Amino acid sequence: MVIHATQIDRMWFRAHPDREYRLRRQTLAEVQHWAFQPGPGYAPWCIIRRADGVMEAFALRVGETCDDHDLELEQFFDHLRDAA
């Protein structure tokens, strides 16, 4: 049985009912849909919004981190949406 990332996202939100955003690395299957692949030294990440399941993808330099708190994720998510 194959479990897709979206199913895992739903399970994660059920296990974390106080969270509105989820930060995670993207799967290889998700990255294949990018118009431009992340360059060497960059890792693909995404933020998922619980309310509607919308995902925003981005790349970070390997070794860099992003805050995993709803307030920061919401602001970053909105910034990514506005830039699109």
Side-chain angles (χ1 to χ4, degrees), residues 21 23 45-47 56-60 66-67 69-83:
Y21 291 86
L23 174 68
W45 288 83
C46 63
I47 301 171
E56 283 296 328
F58 62 97
L60 283 178
C66 185
D67 287 334
H69 303 281
D70 275 353
L71 180 59
E72 289 85 358
L73 291 175
E74 178 182 20
Q75 292 170 350
F76 190 32
F77 183 93
D78 290 344
H79 174 75
L80 292 168
R81 297 290 295 173
D82 291 342

Side-chain angles (χ1 to χ4, degrees), residues 7-82:
Q7 292 170 298
I8 295 169
D9 292 336
R10 284 192 292 274
M11 290 186 307
W12 187 90
F13 279 119
R14 279 195 298 272
H16 299 87
D18 58 323
R19 296 293 303 271
E20 294 300 319
Y21 291 86
R22 178 175 188 216
L23 174 68
R24 67 165 170 81
R25 292 280 300 263
Q26 283 214 295
T27 67
L28 292 175
E30 290 171 321
V31 176
Q32 290 177 3
H33 296 287
W34 286 30
F36 300 96
Q37 298 299 304
Y42 285 85
W45 288 83
C46 63
I47 301 171
I48 300 98
R49 182 170 54 196
R50 174 199 291 269
D52 52 10
V54 169
M55 175 192 303
E56 283 296 328
F58 62 97
L60 283 178
R61 186 174 298 278
V62 172
E64 287 187 16
T65 61
C66 185
D67 287 334
D68 189 19
H69 303 281
D70 275 353
L71 180 59
E72 289 85 358
L73 291 175
E74 178 182 20
Q75 292 170 350
F76 190 32
F77 183 93
D78 290 344
H79 174 75
L80 292 168
R81 297 290 295 173
D82 291 342

